[in-house]
Amino acid sequence: MSKNMESIVSLCKRRGFLFQSSEIYGGIQGFWDYGPLGVELKRNVRNAWWHDMITAHDEFLQPDGAPSTFEMCGVETSIIMHPQVWKCSGHFDLFCDQMVDCKETKKRYRFDQVRGRWVSCTYDSAERPSAEKIFVTSMSETPEEDVISRALAVFGLKRKYADKLEWHTDLISLDKLSADELPRAVAPDVQATGTFTEPREFNLMFKTIVGALGTAEDAAFLRPETAQGIFVNFKNVLDTARVKLPFGVGQIGKSFRNEITPRNFTFRSREFEQMEIEFFCHPDSSPQWYQYWRDRRMAWYKDLGLAGERLILREHDPDELSHYSTGTADVEYAFPFLPAGEYGELEGIAHRGDFDLRSHMEGKLDENSNPLTLQLDENGQPKWKGSGKDLQYFDDQTRERFTPHVIEPSAGADRATLAFICEAYTEDEAPDDKGEMQKRTVMKLHPRLAPIKAAVFPLIKKEGMPETAQQIYRDLKRAGVNVTYSQQGAIGRRYRQQDEIGTPWCITVDGDTATDNAVTVRDRDTLEQVRIPIADLTSELQNRLQA
Ligand code: GAP
């Protein structure tokens, strides 16, 4: 089944998963609010990550594929940090995207996100001489179609003359054009060439002011990644948690990036949440740890339901790697808003060497890993001065002192949540109250992620059924199972309402319950109905949730 993004977005809004931020004021681009069901779903994604990576980790067991046993712990660090953190991390100087403006519409675009095709025309028109090769661009979600319509409009041709267009390339991004070619591009929403400006660098960090004085020295930044909060606390964790190498420190928290063109629902937002691990290890074993973490993180998504060919692990080409990195792989998912064959990043697993710890110790490093500490800023202060603190590790067994290497699995909680929503969205058929097959929309979310685990219904609103159903509802809630209750409408309709929000099980109290003390439990995916004694219900659901 090919999935339609519009239907998914509409369900998310209609059933209270996701809303546009500040919607009553017309919204604000790149910001999203999670509704009553969305907040449960995203919390379940975060909880699954924290449980599986941090709290459930057994430091005495060597997991399959791991070079040794290891320890895991967590931190929660502040969003605003000392500005020097971002100088040493490289974000102050390098965390930039290239942007172009359209001089006519005043719209701003990320250089690599504008896509288009070289085209000429074999038919002279009043608008344009034939044979002039121009680059027609589009920012549409379906650029293939849009570029054709736009090229026809630019050449002043009716659709029946589409065969007069001569295409010279498939869709390519604007940043593939040379400086000489850029003036021959037609920007989105205009019909003339030459309205794009030269590309310029744009730093993605949000600036803010700390304190009441508001001077330039009080400028600070909202963190663009949670990772740096872990690096600057490396020594604190080492000294207080009594951990020994190898160990990992996890953090979940908000990050902020002033994305030039936020798009594709929550995929590219300006405020989003990250789930990051910095795994510290000996340089000699770091290649094996890199391998371990890329396989483990890929398996995590698969276990939670992202299956088959839609999920891939893409190893970066050597020329894509930072100078300090010996490997980076992305876990990618074929989101329905992407053209066929394209994937969007869910998580990057990077071998970061000793770059971050050394930068925070010695000052920012150059491409040869030499500190840049001696360069001065406009106030005569060292530009990239490190903390000067010793962030090395001393191994008291081998008596070796060294700067640990780092493997960084860095995931996005919102992107993972969106991928789970897209994967779960299914349209199929199920019998209605009369046993006739009817179309249904069902979210086949993994039970661990489902916002509501079970719905409890009395078959009818009399004969003591509501009272029994409410007691079951109460008992399950008390046992920590998130359940809902409904007594309105035909039972088939109630099933469908729950299917649409991904509730794995519906529990019905019926006419037999008073005599057999049992209820019918219906499975969302198999539609199978089984009779379960009320006394066993809580443990049965808890077992199913742990399966
Ligand atoms: N510390 C490394 C780091 O931040 P990244 O690839 O820039 O690496 C990691 O970000 C993850 O954070 C991405 O794989 C993605 O899931 C999420 N992410 C990054 N930018 C995002 C955005 N604008 N909106 C939503 N999620 C984003």
Side-chain angles (χ1 to χ4, degrees):
M1 182 192 77
S2 75
K3 302 194 188 195
N4 174 322
M5 200 59 205
E6 259 172 50
S7 312
I8 295 174
V9 172
S10 145
L11 185 143
C12 285
K13 167 96 204 275
R14 186 162 34 85
R15 297 307 309 267
F17 281 92
L18 272 155
F19 308 123
Q20 199 184 6
S21 166
S22 325
E23 196 183 71
I24 61 167
Y25 290 102
I28 169 165
Q29 241 204 328
F31 298 91
W32 297 92
D33 294 339
Y34 286 82
L37 290 176
V39 67
E40 295 297 336
L41 172 60
K42 188 172 155 193
R43 184 158 300 175
N44 291 340
V45 171
R46 281 195 309 244
N47 287 349
W49 186 93
W50 192 261
H51 172 269
D52 298 348
M53 298 300 120
I54 310 290
T55 48
H57 178 72
D58 184 337
E59 64 188 85
F60 304 106
L61 277 183
Q62 185 170 345
D64 281 349
S68 69
T69 58
F70 58 96
E71 294 181 63
M72 294 295 291
C73 59
V75 292
E76 184 171 312
T77 69
S78 65
I79 285 172
I80 294 177
M81 302 168 72
H82 194 293
Q84 202 63 27
V85 169
W86 307 113
K87 293 205 175 171
C88 288
S89 70
H91 287 84
F92 186 81
D93 299 291
L94 299 172
F95 194 53
C96 301
D97 275 341
Q98 287 207 307
M99 56 166 194
V100 283
D101 291 315
C102 172
K103 288 179 257 182
E104 196 169 316
T105 62
K106 310 285 177 241
K107 286 191 183 159
R108 178 162 288 179
Y109 304 98
R110 218 173 94 173
F111 199 25
D112 61 348
Q113 277 178 356
V114 185
R115 304 208 294 170
R117 291 178 75 183
W118 283 105
V119 58
S120 56
C121 172
T122 58
Y123 183 88
D124 264 327
S125 73
E127 275 76 6
R128 229 162 239 293
S130 66
E132 187 193 3
K133 214 165 102 181
I134 55 173
F135 187 75
V136 176
T137 66
S138 166
M139 285 299 283
S140 158
E141 309 237 309
T142 48
E144 293 85 355
E145 261 306 296
D146 191 49
V147 161
I148 297 172
S149 311
R150 300 209 55 238
L152 287 168
V154 171
F155 283 107
L157 295 177
K158 295 212 170 88
R159 182 149 279 275
K160 63 180 178 181
Y161 294 117
D163 61 343
K164 306 287 179 208
L165 295 175
E166 198 175 334
W167 297 99
H168 301 277
T169 54
D170 283 336
L171 278 175
I172 53 172
S173 60
L174 190 64
D175 63 347
K176 299 283 179 303
L177 271 57
S178 68
D180 293 343
E181 289 172 330
L182 194 59
R184 283 157 54 206
V186 183
D189 304 320
V190 297
Q191 302 223 343
T193 51
T195 66
F196 275 126
T197 59
E198 295 273 298
R200 276 177 294 152
E201 298 264 289
F202 176 78
N203 193 297
L204 298 185
M205 282 198 294
F206 277 103
K207 225 176 184 176
T208 188
I209 296 287
V210 174
L213 291 179
T215 61
E217 285 80 64
D218 301 325
F221 302 94
L222 304 193
R223 69 179 173 202
E225 61 170 26
T226 57
Q228 297 304 322
I230 302 179
F231 290 125
V232 300
N233 277 293
F234 171 72
K235 203 73 180 165
N236 283 337
V237 172
L238 204 57
D239 292 346
T240 57
R242 302 165 63 85
V243 279
K244 288 208 181 306
L245 235 59
F247 68 90
V249 183
Q251 161 150 245
I252 298 181
K254 291 264 184 168
S255 292
F256 302 81
R257 297 182 187 178
N258 197 2
E259 298 283 356
I260 300 167
T261 39
R263 61 198 310 214
N264 291 330
F265 210 17
T266 58
F267 182 81
R268 191 172 301 287
S269 308
R270 289 178 166 142
E271 174 178 338
F272 56 95
E273 213 156 352
Q274 291 186 307
M275 309 184 290
E276 297 200 288
I277 295 170
E278 305 304 328
F279 188 80
F280 301 96
C281 57
H282 191 282
D284 292 347
S285 58
S286 61
Q288 290 94 287
W289 283 113
Y290 167 64
Q291 194 67 32
Y292 168 71
W293 278 107
R294 73 201 253 295
D295 296 345
R296 168 129 186 233
R297 291 301 305 146
M298 179 75 175
W300 187 78
Y301 292 98
K302 281 192 182 159
D303 286 349
L304 287 172
L306 298 189
E309 290 157 10
R310 285 185 294 276
L311 189 74
I312 58 164
L313 188 70
R314 187 181 71 83
E315 197 78 49
H316 284 210
D317 294 333
D319 60 356
E320 280 182 89
L321 297 176
S322 328
H323 71 275
Y324 50 79
S325 179
T326 52
T328 294
D330 288 343
V331 179
E332 297 183 340
Y333 179 71
F335 284 97
F337 50 76
L338 295 172
E342 287 193 19
Y343 295 82
E345 179 188 324
L346 293 180
E347 168 160 354
I349 300 102
H351 185 305
R352 299 186 59 89
D354 63 0
F355 176 81
D356 302 273
L357 288 179
R358 275 193 59 207
S359 289
H360 287 304
M361 204 161 36
E362 302 170 23
K364 187 169 170 287
L365 310 179
D366 68 11
E367 59 277 11
N368 301 315
S369 289
N370 295 318
L372 287 171
T373 315
L374 294 180
Q375 292 198 17
L376 303 182
D377 67 14
E378 60 277 12
N379 303 317
Q381 296 300 313
K383 238 179 174 176
W384 296 289
K385 192 164 168 280
S387 64
K389 298 278 185 300
D390 177 11
L391 302 182
Q392 289 195 317
Y393 179 80
F394 179 68
D395 187 326
D396 49 18
Q397 303 278 302
T398 61
R399 316 297 297 165
E400 191 186 0
R401 183 177 293 280
F402 59 94
T403 311
H405 276 202
V406 170
I407 311 301
E408 176 189 69
S410 169
D414 304 87
R415 281 202 191 162
T417 304
L418 184 59
F420 290 127
I421 290 175
C422 293
E423 183 71 18
Y425 183 92
T426 311
E427 288 167 7
D428 65 7
E429 291 194 335
D432 64 10
D433 284 325
K434 296 185 200 120
E436 283 169 21
M437 294 306 271
Q438 299 287 348
K439 283 212 162 85
R440 73 164 180 165
T441 302
V442 51
M443 289 274 258
K444 294 191 172 176
L445 288 165
H446 191 288
R448 284 181 77 191
L449 302 181
I452 292 170
K453 309 302 180 196
V456 190
F457 309 144
L459 185 60
I460 51 173
K461 282 189 266 179
K462 47 191 182 187
E463 296 170 19
M465 290 183 213
E467 290 74 13
T468 308
Q470 280 165 24
Q471 189 56 48
I472 292 172
Y473 161 88
R474 216 165 286 132
D475 291 343
L476 285 169
K477 279 228 159 189
R478 246 183 240 133
V481 183
N482 194 10
V483 287
T484 188
Y485 174 88
S486 168
Q487 58 178 31
Q488 297 304 334
I491 196 79
R493 203 163 147 253
R494 283 183 264 167
Y495 283 155
R496 269 152 211 280
Q497 286 169 346
Q498 296 303 319
D499 289 344
E500 204 181 40
I501 60 168
T503 307
W505 302 292
C506 289
I507 300 164
T508 306
V509 173
D510 58 24
D512 294 333
T513 303
T515 43
D516 69 359
N517 278 320
V519 286
T520 301
V521 177
R522 176 236 193 213
D523 186 282
R524 176 195 69 196
D525 300 340
T526 63
L527 305 175
E528 195 189 16
Q529 303 199 7
V530 290
R531 205 77 190 151
I532 294 181
I534 294 174
D536 298 344
L537 205 50
T538 303
S539 57
E540 172 67 25
L541 288 197
Q542 282 169 335
N543 289 342
R544 288 184 184 198
L545 282 168
Q546 274 159 20

